[in-house]
Amino acid sequence: MKSLVPTTLSTEERALQREVRAFLDDRLPPGGHPLGLGMSGEVDPEFSRDLAAQGWVGMALPREYGGGGRTAVERQIVVEELLARGAPVGYHWVADRQSGPSIARNGTEEQRRRLLPGIARGELSFAIGMSEPDSGSDLASVRARAVRHRDGWLINGTKIWTSGAATATHVLGLFRTSEDRRGGLTQFIVESDVAGLTISPIPFIDGTLHFCELSFEDVYVPDTARLGDVGAGWSQNTGELALERGGVDRWMSLMPVLEAWARSPEVRASPVAHVDLGRIVSRLWAFRGMSLSIARLVDAGESPVAEAALVKEMATRFEQESVEIVRRHFGRTPDLDSDDPWESLLARAILVSPSWTIRGGTTEILRSVIAKGLVSR
Amino acid sequence: MSTSSVSGALAGFFASTWPSDAVPVEPDGLDRVTWNSLSEIGLHLVDIEENLGGSGGDLADLVQIAILCGRHAVDLPVVESHLAAWVMARSGLEIDSAHAYSVPLGPVDVTVNDAGHASGVLRDVPWGGSVDRVVAVTGDGHLIVVDPARAQVASGRDLAGQPRDRLLLNEVAVTRVSSAVPRDELVLRTALLRVSQMAGALQAAAEMTRRYTGERFQFGKPIGAFQAVQAHLVELQQMAVMTTSLAERLAVQPQLRAFDVMAAKLVANENAMAAARAAHQAHGAIGMTREYRLHLLTRRLHSWRGDGGDTLTLSARLGAATAAAPSFAAAVLDEDHRPEVRP
């Protein structure tokens, strides 16, 4: 395991932080937008486009493809401010965090020119097609299949528990192209309005409809939809994990709830609440330092997969614990339909927080990733 | 000195002086031979300018030394001597590089009369009866240097079995100057160095537990092959990596901010508790004995949790400060807008 080298923000990075803050204060005044829990923020294409116009979507993508050519740390600074406000990041989130960087790394020149500028303008929205009804944590067991057909591929099968697919323009999916367990997997980028692809929302536990099932029936895609080499899907997918797991989104879901709670007169007057608030703010401060160190490792060209897993595993559990702490101080059961947006958000957090230790790698899988990292030292 | 050069150059010294296979013994007073070999290198005087009698280097170097002290369960007042010498050097007093020093970690309840004689109590002084001098910062901003030979020493031990004494002063002649270091600053530096020692002890506990669970066979395989046991190893690793990152992060800040240090100490306290529990659970009965070395680490962790800020006081103060601050998010994200708080 690499050591997490301590780091602070440079003068330029702090200037960016102030710039983002000022923009969001203006663009998202309190009460003016529906509050979201971290990466599960609302889908608002207009907001995503406005953010992109500032240069803050696809920041870490290369400039020649419309990206910002900025660092992982600079991207983190923008993301932190968004999540702190519960901003509607749902439309561009996956493309910005994961699919864009993956296309930049693994895509052909044509794919980069075709897709990255749209991602950086906040116009394209991606969903990730990984899980299947019989394939969750054991991702190498996926069965949805792509078979060569004419000059392209014919895709059949089912992807499930895919967030944001109903509003996404593209799905980046992992499909079986041969029987070799890991070497038989290939990634494809499928346009979501393609013939034969049916996207059906699955009502989530809080009643929202972001979760989807994707049914592929003889979906034809040209070979230009293939991302990377045939059989390279597994390793490309693994490479995305450091991006998916190590970020601040793994401990900032609850920030808008915590902000409102910490500001409330009840907390200000309650020494009992101070004890709990002190614990929460300290641990988040500590996680922030670790996330920043991980982002610096990414900028140094490393792929800190084990470090990202180490942070995600404990940070997501702590987020859940924090929900319970805030609820305990609330004094009654919060109402999901409350007119008070923060009460409603707290109610939603109680319902959805079990997903935080499941999505992006379950606690159990992460522990085995970390344990393997310990053995291989 | 760079951070890596310090820990690299000194790792050998620590490993040979405090070998990891040594039979654990409770210290009986200050081991002067070992102290002399350590003070000759000037380890306790790092991050004190050379023209003030120190060894030079910076805070990051000092933190690495404290981490090594924690890793090797060093049974000498290295950190305490540093704290005392640092306050003395800052306040214009000459330090004796051969002296072992200590500072009271408990309240300083001392008055000094016009003749320069001190009366009162110094509580929780590590190695207080066996060091050469004890240095305390009084409530009115003075620094006093006490020769423990002139004090009445009530000996005690901390949870780790290390000397922790109380000094009763009855009109004892002391050196007294105005302290250039406010009490709060001394508390913060104490907390930072305890966090560093805890990080080192957590690293060693994680390694010891990983080794043991690889060697201990039950049901025909090493117990570390069981996922339920691996969960303990993972938690230990998390606590060690996280606590190390806290200490190293504080060491590169332009100045020690109270919020940062207190938050780090609070997190370290909680990490120490979780890790000690996991290490003992993975070890089973052998870890509960004094014949096996785990207790050298876990007992120190328990003891250090109380120094430089206990969990309840820290969380209450940090929480009150955060509730009064304009933004919760800024407390976490913005170095320029941490809540104002006093240790």
Side-chain angles (χ1 to χ4, degrees), chain A residues 242-265:
Chain A
L243 303 173
E244 185 178 349
R245 290 174 177 165
V248 294
D249 35 318
R250 298 307 178 176
W251 52 264
M252 288 190 75
S253 304
L254 203 60
M255 286 297 273
V257 172
L258 293 171
E259 186 72 67
W261 181 61
R263 296 277 71 73
S264 66

Side-chain angles (χ1 to χ4, degrees), chain B residues 80-130:
Chain B
E80 292 80 359
S81 287
H82 169 83
L83 291 167
W86 176 71
V87 182
M88 287 174 70
R90 281 295 174 87
S91 306
L93 291 179
E94 197 174 326
I95 47 183
D96 183 333
S97 63
H99 271 178
Y101 293 103
S102 190
V103 291
L105 300 175
V108 173
D109 192 7
V110 171
T111 53
V112 183
N113 66 18
D114 294 340
H117 292 123
S119 297
V121 192
L122 301 176
R123 294 183 181 83
D124 285 331
V125 190
W127 310 83
S130 45

Side-chain angles (χ1 to χ4, degrees), chain A residues 45-103:
Chain A
E46 193 184 329
F47 175 74
S48 293
R49 279 198 302 275
D50 289 352
L51 195 67
Q54 300 294 315
W56 297 333
V57 177
M59 280 181 89
L61 297 175
R63 297 180 76 93
E64 56 197 296
Y65 306 112
R70 312 286 285 267
T71 62
V73 168
E74 289 171 316
R75 180 183 169 270
Q76 176 175 323
I77 289 165
V78 172
V79 166
E80 285 171 347
E81 296 301 324
L82 290 167
L83 300 187
R85 289 164 172 79
V89 296
Y91 189 75
H92 69 271
W93 183 262
V94 169
D96 177 68
R97 180 186 70 185
Q98 201 162 337
S99 310
S102 186
I103 292 166

Side-chain angles (χ1 to χ4, degrees), chain A residues 14-310:
Chain A
R14 295 218 297 225
L16 171 66
Q17 192 178 46
R18 287 191 295 275
E19 197 189 337
V20 177
R21 216 170 268 167
F23 171 79
L24 292 177
D25 284 348
D26 182 50
R27 180 62 179 78
L28 296 176
H33 68 102
L35 292 175
L37 293 165
M39 69 180 97
S40 315
E42 290 297 311
V43 172
D44 181 348
E46 193 184 329
F47 175 74
S48 293
R49 279 198 302 275
D50 289 352
L51 195 67
Q54 300 294 315
W56 297 333
V57 177
M59 280 181 89
L61 297 175
R63 297 180 76 93
E64 56 197 296
Y65 306 112
R70 312 286 285 267
T71 62
V73 168
E74 289 171 316
R75 180 183 169 270
Q76 176 175 323
I77 289 165
V78 172
V79 166
E80 285 171 347
E81 296 301 324
L82 290 167
L83 300 187
R85 289 164 172 79
V89 296
Y91 189 75
H92 69 271
W93 183 262
V94 169
D96 177 68
R97 180 186 70 185
Q98 201 162 337
S99 310
S102 186
I103 292 166
R105 188 183 311 154
N106 305 309
T108 61
E109 184 63 20
E110 182 275 325
Q111 285 168 334
R112 292 177 192 160
R113 298 214 172 277
R114 174 158 51 90
L115 297 166
L116 296 183
I119 288 176
R121 285 195 302 269
E123 291 170 3
L124 301 186
S125 174
F126 274 67
I128 301 167
M130 287 200 207
S131 294
E132 296 179 7
D134 293 322
S135 186
S137 290
D138 180 12
L139 196 59
S141 70
V142 300
R143 291 201 300 229
R145 179 172 299 273
V147 179
R148 285 196 189 272
H149 180 75
R150 298 205 301 269
D151 292 338
W153 300 80
L154 214 49
I155 299 178
N156 278 284
T158 304
K159 292 288 176 186
I160 199 169
W161 308 314
T162 297
S163 297
T167 47
T169 56
H170 294 76
V171 176
L172 203 169
L174 187 67
F175 298 93
R176 182 153 295 288
T177 45
S178 85
E179 292 314 310
D180 186 341
R181 193 171 135 82
R182 289 184 182 174
L185 298 171
T186 306
Q187 286 185 315
F188 289 90
I189 299 163
V190 183
E191 293 176 13
S192 50
D193 59 358
V194 70
L197 172 57
T198 309
I199 299 175
S200 321
I202 304 170
F204 204 53
I205 193 167
D206 61 347
T208 56
L209 295 171
H210 302 306
F211 229 29
C212 295
E213 176 171 326
L214 283 63
S215 168
F216 295 80
E217 287 174 55
D218 286 336
V219 170
Y220 174 78
V221 295
D223 194 45
T224 52
R226 171 169 54 82
L227 182 66
D229 292 336
V230 174
W234 177 264
S235 59
Q236 287 170 199
N237 206 76
T238 306
E240 286 178 33
L241 294 180
L243 303 173
E244 185 178 349
R245 290 174 177 165
V248 294
D249 35 318
R250 298 307 178 176
W251 52 264
M252 288 190 75
S253 304
L254 203 60
M255 286 297 273
V257 172
L258 293 171
E259 186 72 67
W261 181 61
R263 296 277 71 73
S264 66
E266 292 81 7
V267 167
R268 201 169 287 209
S270 162
V272 178
H274 292 167
V275 171
D276 284 332
L277 178 59
R279 282 196 61 221
I280 293 174
V281 75
S282 301
R283 201 153 278 266
L284 295 187
W285 170 88
F287 287 144
R288 199 295 182 114
M290 298 180 86
S291 287
L292 205 53
S293 294
I294 287 177
R296 293 271 190 232
L297 281 174
V298 170
D299 284 332
E302 307 269 4
S303 183
V305 176
E307 294 73 13
L310 182 139

Side-chain angles (χ1 to χ4, degrees), chain A residues 21 259 263 279 285 313, chain B residues 238 249 270 325 328 334:
Chain A
R21 216 170 268 167
E259 186 72 67
R263 296 277 71 73
R279 282 196 61 221
W285 170 88
E313 195 277 337
Chain B
Q238 287 171 322
R249 175 179 176 185
E270 295 188 336
F328 176 85
D334 191 338

Side-chain angles (χ1 to χ4, degrees), chain B residues 221-245:
Chain B
K221 52 183 170 182
I223 58 173
F226 294 98
Q227 286 191 338
V229 177
Q230 285 175 5
H232 298 310
L233 301 181
V234 167
E235 183 165 31
L236 275 159
Q237 183 71 7
Q238 287 171 322
M239 299 300 101
V241 169
M242 187 179 199
T243 310
T244 304
S245 84

